[in-house]
Amino acid sequence: LINGLLFSSRDISERRRRERRFEALLNNSNDIIIITDDDGIHQYLSPAFEEVLGYECEAAIGESMLSYLHPEDRDRVRATLEESPRGDGEGFVVEYRAEHADGSYRWMESRGSDHSDTAGIEGYLINSRDITAQREREQRIRQYNDTLEQLHETTQNLIEVTNKQQVARQVITGFETVFESELAGVWLSDGEEQSLRPAALSKRGRELVPDPPVYTPNKESLSWKVYRDGEMRYISDVYAHESRANPTTEIRSEVIVPLGKYGVLNVGSTETDGFDDWEKNLIEVWADTATVVLKRVTEFEELQAQERELVHERNRLDDFASVLSHDIQNPLNVALLRTDLASREC
C-alpha cells in the first residue's frame, strides 16, 4: 500500500530530437508532403506547399488536390490515383501542371502510395516536387534540336548559291523561316574591306531601318568594332551605348556576329535583353555556316575571275600569233622563192 503520489519517469530526449529533426526537415524541404483521403481531399500539407505554389496550407486543407491542377491534366491524374495499387505497393508517379497563386502554372512530379492502414497517415502519402525548370530545359533542348534540323535543311539551299548577295539573302530567309526572327540584316565588306554595306535585311528590318547605314572605320560603331575585332558581341540594352548608329532606333537589344573578313550579321529585338544563351548560340552557329559559304563563294568568284583573265590572255595570244604568223609568212615566202630560183640557176 502506497500512501502518496507515484511518479514514473523515462528519458524521451531521443524522441524529442527525432521530432525536432522531422519538423525541421518538413519546414526546410523543397518537396511538398501531402496526405489526402481516397477522394483526393487534402488532409495535411507541409510548409513547402506555400513556398512552391503560394497558397496558405490551412486554407487548402479540406480542398481537393485536383482543383489545383491544370484542367487538361485533371482526368489523367484522377485516373492515376484510382488505378494506383492499394496497400504498401509500388505506388504511382505522375507529372502535371499545378496552378500557382499568381495564376501561372508549375510543372510538378508527384510520387505517392496508399498508407490507409498506417497509423498517423491513414490516407495517400504524396511527395511532390517542382520540376518546372527541368521541363523548361527539356523543352529548350527539343527546340534547339528542331532548329538545328531545320538549319541543316536550309543549309542545302545556302550552299547552292553562287554569289555573296545571294548568300546574304538566304541567311536572312533562314532567320525569317527557321528562327522566326523579324529583325535581321547582313552587311558585306567591299573589295578593299574599308566599309560594310547593307546586303540583305528582313522585312521588319527594312521597316525599322529604311535607310540602313554604311559602316566604316572613320565613324565608330558597334558593328564595325565587331567586324574589326572578329568577336561576337551581345548588346542587352542598345540605349546604353552612345556609339549606336541610330540614336532613336526601336531596336533595344542586338546580337552582332562577324562573318569572317566578309562582313557582319546583325540580329535585333525590340525588347531589352531579348536573347537568351540558347538563341545566341544558334545565331552563332548559323553565322559560322554563312561564313563558310561566303568563303567558298568568294573562292569561286576568284576562280571565275582568273578563268576570265586566262581566256582573255589566251585570246590576246591567239591574236598576237595570228599577226606574227602573217608578218613572218611573207618574208619566208620570199626567201623560199629566192632559194628555189637560186637552185635552178646554179
Side-chain angles (χ1 to χ4, degrees):
L1 181 62
I2 300 176
N3 293 320
L5 298 175
L6 177 62
F7 291 93
S8 176
S9 301
R10 61 192 180 93
D11 188 353
I12 60 170
S13 300
E14 184 60 30
R15 189 184 73 184
R16 292 299 299 271
R17 280 195 293 269
R18 287 197 300 268
E19 290 174 351
R20 285 195 298 270
R21 185 180 296 116
F22 178 72
E23 184 178 356
L25 288 172
L26 287 179
N27 290 334
N28 293 282
S29 174
N30 293 324
D31 290 358
I32 305 172
I33 306 300
I34 304 172
I35 298 176
T36 72
D37 61 15
D38 291 345
D39 297 321
I41 304 300
H42 291 151
Q43 304 297 310
Y44 170 80
L45 292 165
S46 67
F49 182 78
E50 184 172 350
E51 290 291 329
V52 175
L53 295 178
Y55 302 101
E56 293 183 1
C57 296
E58 293 182 3
I61 297 297
E63 294 187 353
S64 172
M65 170 186 175
L66 299 175
S67 65
Y68 291 86
L69 273 54
H70 193 286
E72 296 178 1
D73 297 337
R74 288 173 188 167
D75 290 342
R76 179 170 53 83
V77 175
R78 181 185 290 109
T80 300
L81 292 172
E82 292 174 352
E83 296 170 4
S84 64
R86 295 291 178 175
D88 295 332
E90 296 180 358
F92 62 85
V93 179
V94 63
E95 294 183 3
Y96 54 87
R97 288 161 292 180
E99 186 175 8
H100 192 275
D102 62 11
S104 63
Y105 282 91
R106 302 286 192 271
W107 273 101
M108 306 295 296
E109 180 192 72
S110 290
R111 297 173 177 270
S113 57
D114 179 25
H115 285 268
S116 300
D117 298 330
T118 303
I121 299 179
E122 299 168 355
Y124 279 96
L125 178 62
I126 303 172
N127 185 295
S128 301
R129 64 188 183 96
D130 186 349
I131 59 170
T132 303
Q134 175 185 328
R135 290 297 293 258
E136 289 177 348
R137 283 195 300 271
E138 292 172 353
Q139 177 66 19
R140 294 295 289 167
I141 290 172
R142 284 194 294 270
Q143 291 176 346
Y144 184 84
N145 290 335
D146 289 344
T147 303
L148 286 178
E149 288 291 332
Q150 290 177 288
L151 285 179
H152 178 71
E153 297 174 4
T154 306
T155 300
Q156 186 60 40
N157 297 327
L158 184 62
I159 63 178
E160 292 176 357
V161 300
T162 57
N163 65 66
K164 288 183 281 190
Q165 292 293 329
Q166 290 178 341
V167 173
R169 287 193 290 270
Q170 283 293 335
V171 169
I172 298 304
T173 298
F175 274 99
E176 291 179 321
T177 57
V178 178
F179 291 91
E180 298 181 357
S181 175
E182 295 183 343
L183 296 171
V186 173
W187 274 254
L188 293 178
S189 169
D190 62 10
E192 299 178 354
E193 300 182 4
Q194 292 301 309
S195 66
L196 297 173
R197 298 183 177 276
L201 273 78
S202 63
K203 180 180 178 180
R204 180 60 173 158
R206 290 192 298 271
E207 292 174 355
L208 290 184
V209 191
D211 187 20
V214 174
Y215 301 116
T216 67
N218 300 324
K219 184 178 181 181
E220 186 66 19
S221 64
L222 296 171
S223 294
W224 184 264
K225 180 175 176 58
V226 167
Y227 174 71
R228 182 192 65 201
D229 298 342
E231 296 180 358
M232 184 183 84
R233 187 168 182 183
Y234 174 51
I235 299 92
S236 60
D237 185 2
V238 172
Y239 274 60
H241 293 265
E242 295 182 357
S243 59
R244 61 185 183 275
N246 183 0
T248 61
T249 180
E250 293 183 39
I251 300 173
R252 298 306 302 268
S253 57
E254 192 171 21
V255 180
I256 308 176
V257 192
L259 301 175
K261 65 180 181 180
Y262 309 105
V264 295
L265 167 65
N266 289 24
V267 186
S269 171
T270 55
E271 298 179 2
T272 302
D273 200 15
F275 299 89
D276 58 25
D277 291 339
W278 296 90
E279 291 166 329
K280 287 182 281 187
N281 186 54
L282 283 170
I283 291 171
E284 191 171 17
V285 168
W286 189 226
D288 288 343
T289 303
T291 303
V292 172
V293 176
L294 283 168
K295 182 176 184 293
R296 179 188 63 79
V297 168
T298 301
E299 292 173 348
F300 177 72
E301 291 177 342
E302 290 173 351
L303 286 174
Q304 283 187 317
Q306 291 175 7
E307 183 178 357
R308 288 193 296 269
E309 182 64 24
L310 287 173
V311 170
H312 178 66
E313 288 297 324
R314 185 186 66 189
N315 291 337
R316 289 181 57 194
L317 287 173
D318 287 344
D319 293 342
F320 175 74
S322 176
V323 171
L324 185 63
S325 175
H326 180 269
D327 292 345
I328 293 177
Q329 193 66 39
N330 286 336
L332 285 176
N333 287 338
V334 172
L336 288 171
L337 182 59
R338 290 178 176 176
T339 300
D340 181 60
L341 289 173
S343 63
R344 292 179 183 180
E345 293 176 357
C346 303

Tab-separated table of all heavy atoms in Angstrom, residues 79-133:
chain	number	residue	atom	x	y	z
A	79	ALA	N	-7.263	9.444	-62.902
A	79	ALA	CA	-7.152	8.045	-63.311
A	79	ALA	C	-5.941	7.380	-62.673
A	79	ALA	O	-6.000	6.217	-62.253
A	79	ALA	CB	-7.067	7.954	-64.834
A	80	THR	N	-4.834	8.129	-62.549
A	80	THR	CA	-3.630	7.574	-61.916
A	80	THR	C	-3.887	7.234	-60.457
A	80	THR	O	-3.475	6.179	-59.962
A	80	THR	CB	-2.466	8.580	-62.021
A	80	THR	OG1	-2.183	8.851	-63.401
A	80	THR	CG2	-1.209	8.036	-61.345
A	81	LEU	N	-4.572	8.133	-59.752
A	81	LEU	CA	-4.888	7.886	-58.346
A	81	LEU	C	-5.814	6.684	-58.196
A	81	LEU	O	-5.622	5.842	-57.299
A	81	LEU	CB	-5.538	9.125	-57.731
A	81	LEU	CG	-4.635	10.357	-57.567
A	81	LEU	CD1	-5.466	11.561	-57.137
A	81	LEU	CD2	-3.529	10.091	-56.560
A	82	GLU	N	-6.811	6.596	-59.052
A	82	GLU	CA	-7.779	5.497	-58.950
A	82	GLU	C	-7.153	4.152	-59.285
A	82	GLU	O	-7.547	3.116	-58.733
A	82	GLU	CB	-8.967	5.766	-59.882
A	82	GLU	CG	-9.823	6.953	-59.443
A	82	GLU	CD	-10.898	7.296	-60.454
A	82	GLU	OE1	-10.869	6.697	-61.564
A	82	GLU	OE2	-11.765	8.149	-60.162
A	83	GLU	N	-6.172	4.159	-60.185
A	83	GLU	CA	-5.560	2.902	-60.613
A	83	GLU	C	-4.336	2.528	-59.795
A	83	GLU	O	-3.733	1.472	-60.032
A	83	GLU	CB	-5.158	3.014	-62.094
A	83	GLU	CG	-6.349	3.196	-63.027
A	83	GLU	CD	-5.928	3.556	-64.440
A	83	GLU	OE1	-4.684	3.581	-64.684
A	83	GLU	OE2	-6.799	3.817	-65.287
A	84	SER	N	-3.925	3.376	-58.863
A	84	SER	CA	-2.726	3.088	-58.083
A	84	SER	C	-2.977	1.897	-57.148
A	84	SER	O	-4.109	1.693	-56.679
A	84	SER	CB	-2.317	4.315	-57.264
A	84	SER	OG	-3.317	4.631	-56.320
A	85	PRO	N	-1.933	1.096	-56.870
A	85	PRO	CA	-2.099	-0.087	-56.010
A	85	PRO	C	-2.535	0.294	-54.596
A	85	PRO	O	-2.134	1.326	-54.054
A	85	PRO	CB	-0.691	-0.701	-56.002
A	85	PRO	CG	0.007	-0.117	-57.182
A	85	PRO	CD	-0.562	1.242	-57.366
A	86	ARG	N	-3.369	-0.538	-54.014
A	86	ARG	CA	-3.792	-0.345	-52.628
A	86	ARG	C	-2.800	-1.033	-51.702
A	86	ARG	O	-2.149	-2.005	-52.064
A	86	ARG	CB	-5.190	-0.927	-52.413
A	86	ARG	CG	-6.286	-0.199	-53.200
A	86	ARG	CD	-6.511	1.188	-52.647
A	86	ARG	NE	-7.519	1.929	-53.396
A	86	ARG	CZ	-7.965	3.119	-53.063
A	86	ARG	NH1	-7.485	3.710	-51.974
A	86	ARG	NH2	-8.864	3.749	-53.786
A	87	GLY	N	-2.711	-0.507	-50.504
A	87	GLY	CA	-1.772	-1.086	-49.545
A	87	GLY	C	-0.368	-0.623	-49.831
A	87	GLY	O	-0.126	0.333	-50.575
A	88	ASP	N	0.604	-1.303	-49.232
A	88	ASP	CA	2.007	-0.918	-49.388
A	88	ASP	C	2.546	-1.454	-50.698
A	88	ASP	O	3.375	-2.373	-50.742
A	88	ASP	CB	2.841	-1.428	-48.204
A	88	ASP	CG	2.424	-0.753	-46.913
A	88	ASP	OD1	1.942	0.384	-46.998
A	88	ASP	OD2	2.574	-1.368	-45.846
A	89	GLY	N	2.046	-0.913	-51.800
A	89	GLY	CA	2.512	-1.332	-53.116
A	89	GLY	C	3.576	-0.392	-53.641
A	89	GLY	O	4.182	0.387	-52.917
A	90	GLU	N	3.791	-0.461	-54.971
A	90	GLU	CA	4.814	0.367	-55.581
A	90	GLU	C	4.373	1.824	-55.679
A	90	GLU	O	5.191	2.707	-55.864
A	90	GLU	CB	5.140	-0.168	-56.979
A	90	GLU	CG	5.737	-1.560	-56.971
A	90	GLU	CD	6.029	-2.034	-58.372
A	90	GLU	OE1	5.722	-1.294	-59.332
A	90	GLU	OE2	6.573	-3.150	-58.507
A	91	GLY	N	3.096	2.072	-55.580
A	91	GLY	CA	2.613	3.444	-55.644
A	91	GLY	C	2.530	3.942	-57.075
A	91	GLY	O	2.447	3.168	-58.024
A	92	PHE	N	2.602	5.256	-57.251
A	92	PHE	CA	2.451	5.848	-58.572
A	92	PHE	C	3.397	7.029	-58.714
A	92	PHE	O	3.878	7.611	-57.738
A	92	PHE	CB	1.003	6.313	-58.789
A	92	PHE	CG	0.559	7.365	-57.828
A	92	PHE	CD1	0.818	8.715	-58.070
A	92	PHE	CD2	-0.110	7.020	-56.650
A	92	PHE	CE1	0.408	9.692	-57.174
A	92	PHE	CE2	-0.524	7.996	-55.755
A	92	PHE	CZ	-0.258	9.341	-56.012
A	93	VAL	N	3.660	7.369	-59.958
A	93	VAL	CA	4.430	8.563	-60.302
A	93	VAL	C	3.664	9.273	-61.401
A	93	VAL	O	3.274	8.656	-62.394
A	93	VAL	CB	5.847	8.222	-60.794
A	93	VAL	CG1	6.596	9.515	-61.152
A	93	VAL	CG2	6.609	7.435	-59.750
A	94	VAL	N	3.434	10.560	-61.239
A	94	VAL	CA	2.673	11.303	-62.230
A	94	VAL	C	3.198	12.730	-62.318
A	94	VAL	O	3.622	13.315	-61.319
A	94	VAL	CB	1.168	11.301	-61.879
A	94	VAL	CG1	0.896	12.011	-60.552
A	94	VAL	CG2	0.338	11.912	-62.995
A	95	GLU	N	3.214	13.276	-63.526
A	95	GLU	CA	3.614	14.662	-63.757
A	95	GLU	C	2.406	15.453	-64.231
A	95	GLU	O	1.594	14.956	-65.006
A	95	GLU	CB	4.740	14.740	-64.794
A	95	GLU	CG	6.040	14.102	-64.324
A	95	GLU	CD	7.162	14.255	-65.346
A	95	GLU	OE1	6.929	14.910	-66.388
A	95	GLU	OE2	8.252	13.702	-65.105
A	96	TYR	N	2.307	16.685	-63.783
A	96	TYR	CA	1.148	17.505	-64.119
A	96	TYR	C	1.488	18.968	-63.873
A	96	TYR	O	2.530	19.301	-63.299
A	96	TYR	CB	-0.063	17.105	-63.259
A	96	TYR	CG	0.227	17.142	-61.771
A	96	TYR	CD1	0.063	18.320	-61.043
A	96	TYR	CD2	0.709	16.010	-61.106
A	96	TYR	CE1	0.356	18.367	-59.692
A	96	TYR	CE2	1.000	16.050	-59.750
A	96	TYR	CZ	0.820	17.227	-59.055
A	96	TYR	OH	1.119	17.276	-57.715
A	97	ARG	N	0.577	19.839	-64.293
A	97	ARG	CA	0.726	21.276	-64.055
A	97	ARG	C	-0.195	21.706	-62.926
A	97	ARG	O	-1.396	21.419	-62.955
A	97	ARG	CB	0.393	22.055	-65.332
A	97	ARG	CG	1.434	21.947	-66.424
A	97	ARG	CD	0.859	22.325	-67.779
A	97	ARG	NE	-0.120	21.340	-68.232
A	97	ARG	CZ	-0.776	21.434	-69.388
A	97	ARG	NH1	-0.575	22.459	-70.189
A	97	ARG	NH2	-1.643	20.484	-69.737
A	98	ALA	N	0.379	22.385	-61.941
A	98	ALA	CA	-0.400	22.903	-60.810
A	98	ALA	C	-0.426	24.426	-60.885
A	98	ALA	O	0.589	25.061	-61.196
A	98	ALA	CB	0.207	22.449	-59.491
A	99	GLU	N	-1.589	24.995	-60.587
A	99	GLU	CA	-1.736	26.440	-60.681
A	99	GLU	C	-1.132	27.129	-59.456
A	99	GLU	O	-1.411	26.768	-58.322
A	99	GLU	CB	-3.210	26.827	-60.810
A	99	GLU	CG	-3.417	28.315	-61.054
A	99	GLU	CD	-4.873	28.673	-61.296
A	99	GLU	OE1	-5.732	27.774	-61.110
A	99	GLU	OE2	-5.150	29.828	-61.650
A	100	HIS	N	-0.300	28.126	-59.713
A	100	HIS	CA	0.277	28.949	-58.658
A	100	HIS	C	-0.736	30.019	-58.251
A	100	HIS	O	-1.665	30.340	-59.000
A	100	HIS	CB	1.568	29.598	-59.148
A	100	HIS	CG	2.379	30.233	-58.073
A	100	HIS	ND1	2.140	31.530	-57.627
A	100	HIS	CD2	3.435	29.778	-57.353
A	100	HIS	CE1	3.013	31.830	-56.690
A	100	HIS	NE2	3.807	30.790	-56.499
A	101	ALA	N	-0.559	30.556	-57.061
A	101	ALA	CA	-1.466	31.600	-56.575
A	101	ALA	C	-1.462	32.834	-57.475
A	101	ALA	O	-2.445	33.586	-57.500
A	101	ALA	CB	-1.090	31.986	-55.143
A	102	ASP	N	-0.367	33.046	-58.237
A	102	ASP	CA	-0.299	34.211	-59.122
A	102	ASP	C	-0.936	33.954	-60.482
A	102	ASP	O	-0.910	34.815	-61.361
A	102	ASP	CB	1.157	34.672	-59.299
A	102	ASP	CG	2.029	33.601	-59.960
A	102	ASP	OD1	1.498	32.595	-60.474
A	102	ASP	OD2	3.267	33.769	-59.968
A	103	GLY	N	-1.506	32.746	-60.676
A	103	GLY	CA	-2.187	32.430	-61.928
A	103	GLY	C	-1.348	31.670	-62.933
A	103	GLY	O	-1.875	31.160	-63.924
A	104	SER	N	-0.050	31.597	-62.701
A	104	SER	CA	0.813	30.825	-63.597
A	104	SER	C	0.743	29.346	-63.220
A	104	SER	O	0.102	28.959	-62.241
A	104	SER	CB	2.256	31.323	-63.503
A	104	SER	OG	2.773	31.123	-62.193
A	105	TYR	N	1.425	28.513	-64.002
A	105	TYR	CA	1.423	27.079	-63.721
A	105	TYR	C	2.845	26.573	-63.498
A	105	TYR	O	3.790	27.044	-64.135
A	105	TYR	CB	0.778	26.307	-64.875
A	105	TYR	CG	-0.738	26.376	-64.863
A	105	TYR	CD1	-1.406	27.377	-65.559
A	105	TYR	CD2	-1.481	25.466	-64.133
A	105	TYR	CE1	-2.796	27.460	-65.526
A	105	TYR	CE2	-2.868	25.536	-64.100
A	105	TYR	CZ	-3.518	26.534	-64.794
A	105	TYR	OH	-4.889	26.606	-64.756
A	106	ARG	N	2.967	25.626	-62.578
A	106	ARG	CA	4.233	24.967	-62.304
A	106	ARG	C	4.106	23.487	-62.671
A	106	ARG	O	3.081	22.875	-62.406
A	106	ARG	CB	4.599	25.081	-60.806
A	106	ARG	CG	4.696	26.495	-60.278
A	106	ARG	CD	5.971	27.181	-60.774
A	106	ARG	NE	6.213	28.414	-60.047
A	106	ARG	CZ	5.740	29.591	-60.399
A	106	ARG	NH1	4.968	29.695	-61.463
A	106	ARG	NH2	6.014	30.674	-59.686
A	107	TRP	N	5.150	22.971	-63.282
A	107	TRP	CA	5.176	21.532	-63.535
A	107	TRP	C	5.595	20.816	-62.254
A	107	TRP	O	6.601	21.179	-61.637
A	107	TRP	CB	6.152	21.198	-64.661
A	107	TRP	CG	5.532	21.283	-66.023
A	107	TRP	CD1	5.642	22.302	-66.920
A	107	TRP	CD2	4.691	20.295	-66.627
A	107	TRP	NE1	4.925	22.015	-68.052
A	107	TRP	CE2	4.331	20.795	-67.913
A	107	TRP	CE3	4.205	19.045	-66.224
A	107	TRP	CZ2	3.507	20.075	-68.785
A	107	TRP	CZ3	3.396	18.339	-67.101
A	107	TRP	CH2	3.053	18.851	-68.358
A	108	MET	N	4.819	19.827	-61.855
A	108	MET	CA	5.094	19.075	-60.631
A	108	MET	C	5.242	17.592	-60.949
A	108	MET	O	4.600	17.069	-61.869
A	108	MET	CB	3.952	19.256	-59.623
A	108	MET	CG	3.597	20.696	-59.291
A	108	MET	SD	4.913	21.579	-58.441
A	108	MET	CE	5.020	20.639	-56.910
A	109	GLU	N	6.079	16.937	-60.167
A	109	GLU	CA	6.179	15.474	-60.209
A	109	GLU	C	5.775	14.948	-58.836
A	109	GLU	O	6.339	15.353	-57.815
A	109	GLU	CB	7.600	15.014	-60.524
A	109	GLU	CG	7.737	13.496	-60.565
A	109	GLU	CD	9.183	13.042	-60.580
A	109	GLU	OE1	9.860	13.157	-59.530
A	109	GLU	OE2	9.635	12.579	-61.639
A	110	SER	N	4.787	14.070	-58.808
A	110	SER	CA	4.298	13.520	-57.543
A	110	SER	C	4.510	12.016	-57.502
A	110	SER	O	4.214	11.303	-58.475
A	110	SER	CB	2.803	13.829	-57.359
A	110	SER	OG	2.605	15.203	-57.124
A	111	ARG	N	5.031	11.551	-56.370
A	111	ARG	CA	5.182	10.124	-56.107
A	111	ARG	C	4.364	9.806	-54.866
A	111	ARG	O	4.545	10.456	-53.836
A	111	ARG	CB	6.646	9.751	-55.885
A	111	ARG	CG	7.524	9.988	-57.109
A	111	ARG	CD	8.997	9.761	-56.811
A	111	ARG	NE	9.809	9.927	-58.005
A	111	ARG	CZ	10.125	8.957	-58.858
A	111	ARG	NH1	9.697	7.712	-58.590
A	111	ARG	NH2	10.852	9.184	-59.926
A	112	GLY	N	3.480	8.857	-54.970
A	112	GLY	CA	2.613	8.565	-53.832
A	112	GLY	C	2.274	7.098	-53.718
A	112	GLY	O	2.504	6.306	-54.638
A	113	SER	N	1.737	6.746	-52.582
A	113	SER	CA	1.294	5.368	-52.337
A	113	SER	C	0.233	5.383	-51.240
A	113	SER	O	0.098	6.359	-50.489
A	113	SER	CB	2.482	4.478	-51.928
A	113	SER	OG	3.131	5.005	-50.785
A	114	ASP	N	-0.494	4.294	-51.188
A	114	ASP	CA	-1.597	4.167	-50.237
A	114	ASP	C	-1.060	3.777	-48.862
A	114	ASP	O	-0.402	2.751	-48.708
A	114	ASP	CB	-2.584	3.124	-50.751
A	114	ASP	CG	-3.744	2.935	-49.789
A	114	ASP	OD1	-4.038	3.874	-49.026
A	114	ASP	OD2	-4.348	1.848	-49.805
A	115	HIS	N	-1.344	4.618	-47.849
A	115	HIS	CA	-0.958	4.324	-46.464
A	115	HIS	C	-2.191	4.414	-45.568
A	115	HIS	O	-2.116	4.917	-44.444
A	115	HIS	CB	0.122	5.286	-45.990
A	115	HIS	CG	1.477	4.998	-46.553
A	115	HIS	ND1	2.388	4.197	-45.916
A	115	HIS	CD2	2.056	5.399	-47.707
A	115	HIS	CE1	3.502	4.125	-46.648
A	115	HIS	NE2	3.319	4.857	-47.742
A	116	SER	N	-3.292	3.918	-46.081
A	116	SER	CA	-4.545	3.977	-45.318
A	116	SER	C	-4.450	3.225	-43.999
A	116	SER	O	-5.107	3.585	-43.008
A	116	SER	CB	-5.699	3.416	-46.156
A	116	SER	OG	-5.851	4.170	-47.341
A	117	ASP	N	-3.631	2.183	-43.956
A	117	ASP	CA	-3.514	1.352	-42.752
A	117	ASP	C	-2.359	1.770	-41.856
A	117	ASP	O	-2.072	1.093	-40.862
A	117	ASP	CB	-3.352	-0.125	-43.148
A	117	ASP	CG	-4.557	-0.647	-43.924
A	117	ASP	OD1	-5.666	-0.142	-43.687
A	117	ASP	OD2	-4.370	-1.532	-44.784
A	118	THR	N	-1.672	2.859	-42.227
A	118	THR	CA	-0.540	3.322	-41.431
A	118	THR	C	-1.013	4.352	-40.413
A	118	THR	O	-1.586	5.385	-40.790
A	118	THR	CB	0.554	3.941	-42.325
A	118	THR	OG1	0.962	2.987	-43.304
A	118	THR	CG2	1.762	4.362	-41.487
A	119	ALA	N	-0.785	4.063	-39.144
A	119	ALA	CA	-1.211	4.982	-38.084
A	119	ALA	C	-0.527	6.333	-38.253
A	119	ALA	O	0.674	6.417	-38.513
A	119	ALA	CB	-0.877	4.392	-36.720
A	120	GLY	N	-1.285	7.383	-38.128
A	120	GLY	CA	-0.747	8.729	-38.254
A	120	GLY	C	-0.822	9.283	-39.653
A	120	GLY	O	-0.664	10.486	-39.858
A	121	ILE	N	-1.052	8.411	-40.640
A	121	ILE	CA	-1.179	8.861	-42.027
A	121	ILE	C	-2.605	8.631	-42.502
A	121	ILE	O	-3.339	9.555	-42.821
A	121	ILE	CB	-0.168	8.144	-42.948
A	121	ILE	CG1	1.272	8.440	-42.515
A	121	ILE	CG2	-0.387	8.574	-44.389
A	121	ILE	CD1	2.323	7.755	-43.359
A	122	GLU	N	-2.977	7.354	-42.542
A	122	GLU	CA	-4.353	6.950	-42.850
A	122	GLU	C	-4.889	7.638	-44.110
A	122	GLU	O	-5.928	8.285	-44.116
A	122	GLU	CB	-5.259	7.256	-41.651
A	122	GLU	CG	-4.828	6.497	-40.395
A	122	GLU	CD	-5.530	7.008	-39.155
A	122	GLU	OE1	-6.276	8.006	-39.279
A	122	GLU	OE2	-5.326	6.424	-38.080
A	123	GLY	N	-4.138	7.507	-45.186
A	123	GLY	CA	-4.546	8.078	-46.474
A	123	GLY	C	-3.426	7.910	-47.480
A	123	GLY	O	-2.512	7.087	-47.304
A	124	TYR	N	-3.486	8.679	-48.526
A	124	TYR	CA	-2.425	8.654	-49.520
A	124	TYR	C	-1.312	9.596	-49.090
A	124	TYR	O	-1.557	10.770	-48.769
A	124	TYR	CB	-2.951	9.094	-50.891
A	124	TYR	CG	-3.659	8.010	-51.648
A	124	TYR	CD1	-5.047	7.896	-51.601
A	124	TYR	CD2	-2.943	7.081	-52.413
A	124	TYR	CE1	-5.704	6.896	-52.304
A	124	TYR	CE2	-3.596	6.082	-53.108
A	124	TYR	CZ	-4.976	5.999	-53.051
A	124	TYR	OH	-5.605	5.001	-53.746
A	125	LEU	N	-0.079	9.078	-49.095
A	125	LEU	CA	1.091	9.894	-48.803
A	125	LEU	C	1.747	10.252	-50.135
A	125	LEU	O	2.177	9.379	-50.882
A	125	LEU	CB	2.085	9.138	-47.914
A	125	LEU	CG	3.382	9.869	-47.582
A	125	LEU	CD1	3.098	11.149	-46.798
A	125	LEU	CD2	4.329	8.961	-46.801
A	126	ILE	N	1.802	11.546	-50.431
A	126	ILE	CA	2.286	12.011	-51.736
A	126	ILE	C	3.438	12.980	-51.530
A	126	ILE	O	3.336	13.932	-50.744
A	126	ILE	CB	1.160	12.696	-52.529
A	126	ILE	CG1	-0.035	11.743	-52.703
A	126	ILE	CG2	1.662	13.170	-53.880
A	126	ILE	CD1	-1.257	12.412	-53.303
A	127	ASN	N	4.525	12.712	-52.223
A	127	ASN	CA	5.696	13.596	-52.205
A	127	ASN	C	5.760	14.296	-53.564
A	127	ASN	O	5.906	13.645	-54.601
A	127	ASN	CB	6.973	12.793	-51.948
A	127	ASN	CG	8.189	13.692	-51.794
A	127	ASN	OD1	8.580	14.365	-52.722
A	127	ASN	ND2	8.803	13.663	-50.631
A	128	SER	N	5.662	15.626	-53.560
A	128	SER	CA	5.623	16.393	-54.812
A	128	SER	C	6.782	17.372	-54.871
A	128	SER	O	7.137	17.994	-53.869
A	128	SER	CB	4.304	17.166	-54.932
A	128	SER	OG	3.194	16.282	-54.909
A	129	ARG	N	7.355	17.514	-56.053
A	129	ARG	CA	8.448	18.474	-56.228
A	129	ARG	C	8.247	19.269	-57.517
A	129	ARG	O	7.649	18.783	-58.481
A	129	ARG	CB	9.814	17.777	-56.243
A	129	ARG	CG	10.037	16.813	-57.390
A	129	ARG	CD	11.325	16.045	-57.211
A	129	ARG	NE	11.607	15.163	-58.336
A	129	ARG	CZ	12.397	15.483	-59.357
A	129	ARG	NH1	12.990	16.668	-59.379
A	129	ARG	NH2	12.615	14.638	-60.343
A	130	ASP	N	8.763	20.476	-57.498
A	130	ASP	CA	8.638	21.395	-58.628
A	130	ASP	C	9.689	21.027	-59.678
A	130	ASP	O	10.890	21.080	-59.421
A	130	ASP	CB	8.850	22.832	-58.143
A	130	ASP	CG	8.586	23.867	-59.238
A	130	ASP	OD1	8.446	23.474	-60.402
A	130	ASP	OD2	8.515	25.064	-58.902
A	131	ILE	N	9.243	20.652	-60.873
A	131	ILE	CA	10.171	20.279	-61.950
A	131	ILE	C	10.030	21.246	-63.130
A	131	ILE	O	10.379	20.912	-64.265
A	131	ILE	CB	9.929	18.827	-62.425
A	131	ILE	CG1	8.492	18.655	-62.941
A	131	ILE	CG2	10.230	17.836	-61.316
A	131	ILE	CD1	8.272	17.319	-63.656
A	132	THR	N	9.523	22.457	-62.853
A	132	THR	CA	9.311	23.434	-63.923
A	132	THR	C	10.610	23.727	-64.666
A	132	THR	O	10.642	23.733	-65.904
A	132	THR	CB	8.739	24.741	-63.345
A	132	THR	OG1	7.528	24.450	-62.643
A	132	THR	CG2	8.451	25.744	-64.455
A	133	ALA	N	11.696	23.988	-63.928
A	133	ALA	CA	12.973	24.316	-64.565
A	133	ALA	C	13.451	23.164	-65.431
A	133	ALA	O	13.960	23.368	-66.542
A	133	ALA	CB	14.010	24.656	-63.500
